[in-house]
Amino acid sequence: MRKRWTRKRSGVVAVALAAMAGLLLSLTAMVGPAHAATGLHVSNGRLVEGNGSDFVMRGVNHAHAWYPSRTGALGDIKAKGANTVRVVLSSGDRWTRTSASEVADIVGRCKQNRLICVLEVHDTTGYGEDGAATTLSRAVTYWTGIRSALDGQENHVVINLGNEPYGNTGYERWTADTKAAIVRMRDAGFGHALMVDAPNWGQDWSGTMRNNAASVFAADPHRNTVFSIHMYGVYDTAAEVRDYLGAFVNARLPIVVGEFGDNHSDGNPDEDAIMATAQSLRLGYLGWSWSGNGSGVEYLDMVTGFDPGALTGWGRRLFEGSNGIAATAREATVYGGGSSGTAPNGYPYCTQGGSTDPDGDGWGWENARSCVVPGGPAY
């Protein structure tokens, strides 16, 4: 998110049936990573840690590229209870390039503050519609240029290839371009979990990501790609939220809400439904954004002026409200924390991801008792 334009909503319902057919394509091609996992990875449609423990993102976005001196924000975000921060970087195509040394420092600060670090290139935002935006291919060139800062950080870092990589023009190329970007990253030696944003300014009103997610996932030789939907005005009803997220869960494809807010110029997103649905399905969410918004969307600031003591209404809702970060976040086990909790049917959640569910029925066996695989059929 940076400057967001009005999205088209036509086609949201029309693509639903076709989307299900696309998502259910060849589940056998999506079983486990094809290469030995060395850190955060996808297993049975879930994001898990290197030890197999389920990891559910609960966090916020932080605009480092525009406020590079505000590195103290990471500690403030952690203090509010987050387990993840999504950090805005720049490839240098639109804003000042975030150097390898800066990225290494960001990763170090994430680790110091016991946060999983999602790093994203923002220069791709709205490509095809916004003439200042750049391509996913250019974003990959950036990632390969700073690889030294990321090698060995697979337990702590998720690489979000490019923010909202198509607007509402030319988004039909999203599938091919995303596959090509993933393959280039793997060919360059990146073993990290990769995250890919939807087109249509992240909101996928066309169903392009939903329809083609299975083939994109299968194109990753590591089978280690997570999909990210941004929920603003297109998702202003609980039904739209549930339908979109549920489609991925039912197809055993990993999905997170990479951005969302409590209001927006393109409509009023249903943040209560987004948070409640993410919690019930044990899916990650990352609110936009900590502080520093401009261009008429200042209401999306969670704190005023980067002051952690000055929570806005949106900040209070996200951190302190029902299904909020303080109540639901669990620190990554790589830092000594972990998932916990009880499923709605009264059984505990499994904490070792898909490795506990060999027959795919949604039930596992841990600590000498049955457990529920989050998001699985038994849920």
Side-chain angles (χ1 to χ4, degrees):
M1 197 251 175
R2 172 60 171 169
K3 185 174 182 182
R4 197 172 299 277
W5 308 96
T6 300
R7 272 59 150 210
K8 299 175 184 176
R9 299 196 54 181
S10 59
V12 173
V13 176
V15 300
L17 293 177
M20 288 304 299
L23 280 171
L24 293 172
L25 172 68
S26 186
L27 284 174
T28 56
M30 294 177 257
V31 178
H35 295 244
T38 57
L40 289 156
H41 65 281
V42 175
S43 177
N44 196 31
R46 305 283 305 170
L47 180 64
V48 302
E49 296 188 65
N51 63 4
S53 297
D54 203 56
F55 183 69
V56 180
M57 293 183 183
R58 288 285 182 271
V60 305
N61 288 263
H62 168 58
H64 174 84
W66 309 310
Y67 301 98
S69 67
R70 297 288 189 174
T71 52
L74 299 184
D76 296 333
I77 290 166
K78 175 64 178 182
K80 296 295 184 187
N83 64 19
T84 305
V85 62
R86 180 174 181 255
V87 182
V88 175
L89 309 179
S90 174
S91 61
D93 291 283
R94 185 166 186 177
W95 298 284
T96 301
R97 185 178 188 271
T98 311
S99 68
S101 60
E102 277 185 274
V103 173
D105 181 66
I106 290 166
V107 173
R109 289 175 184 272
C110 282
K111 293 166 70 173
Q112 178 184 354
N113 288 292
R114 303 163 72 92
L115 291 163
I116 295 300
C117 204
V118 178
L119 303 175
E120 60 102 341
V121 166
H122 216 78
D123 306 59
T124 56
T125 306
Y127 178 74
E129 185 172 351
D130 189 334
T134 195
T135 64
L136 274 176
S137 179
R138 285 287 299 168
V140 173
T141 299
Y142 170 76
W143 291 120
T144 57
I146 63 161
R147 181 180 161 185
S148 62
L150 300 173
D151 279 346
Q153 303 301 333
E154 292 86 352
N155 282 310
H156 308 277
V157 170
V158 175
I159 300 175
N160 191 171
L161 295 182
N163 185 70
E164 302 179 359
Y166 271 101
N168 294 323
T169 303
Y171 60 83
E172 297 85 356
R173 298 195 298 273
W174 177 90
T175 303
D177 289 352
T178 300
K179 289 178 180 179
I182 291 170
V183 170
R184 277 187 63 199
M185 291 291 286
R186 298 308 185 201
D187 287 346
F190 287 93
H192 305 69
L194 303 179
M195 184 179 290
V196 295
D197 282 6
N200 308 130
W201 299 92
Q203 296 202 80
D204 199 29
W205 58 260
S206 64
T208 301
M209 185 170 82
R210 184 161 65 170
N211 292 349
N212 295 284
S215 67
V216 170
F217 187 88
D220 181 356
H222 290 203
R223 306 296 191 270
N224 195 16
T225 296
V226 179
F227 298 91
S228 175
I229 183 68
H230 294 182
M231 290 188 161
Y232 293 99
V234 169
Y235 299 92
D236 57 0
T237 69
E240 289 168 320
V241 173
R242 289 193 300 265
D243 288 349
Y244 195 91
L245 297 179
F248 279 79
V249 171
N250 291 339
R252 297 187 192 175
L253 287 166
I255 182 77
V256 301
V257 183
E259 289 186 20
F260 72 107
D262 66 339
N263 191 20
H264 209 271
S265 55
D266 70 344
N268 186 7
D270 190 340
E271 70 278 8
D272 292 338
I274 293 167
M275 296 167 71
T277 304
Q279 178 63 11
S280 69
L281 297 176
R282 298 286 291 163
L283 300 178
Y285 66 64
L286 303 168
W288 185 279
S289 70
W290 180 246
S291 198
N293 286 285
S295 302
V297 295
E298 290 83 357
Y299 50 80
L300 286 171
D301 281 0
M302 296 167 189
V303 301
T304 301
F306 290 91
D307 179 358
L311 279 173
T312 64
W314 168 221
R316 286 191 298 273
R317 173 67 190 92
L318 184 71
F319 286 107
E320 300 173 356
S322 177
N323 301 305
I325 288 172
T328 66
R330 300 290 182 268
E331 190 174 78
T333 62
V334 72
Y335 299 124
S339 301
S340 64
T342 302
N345 63 13
Y347 283 83
Y349 287 115
C350 300
T351 61
Q352 298 176 26
S355 62
T356 64
D357 183 20
D359 56 3
D361 66 355
W363 288 99
W365 183 262
E366 293 176 1
N367 301 317
R369 67 173 296 183
S370 294
C371 58
V372 174
V373 176
Y379 179 88

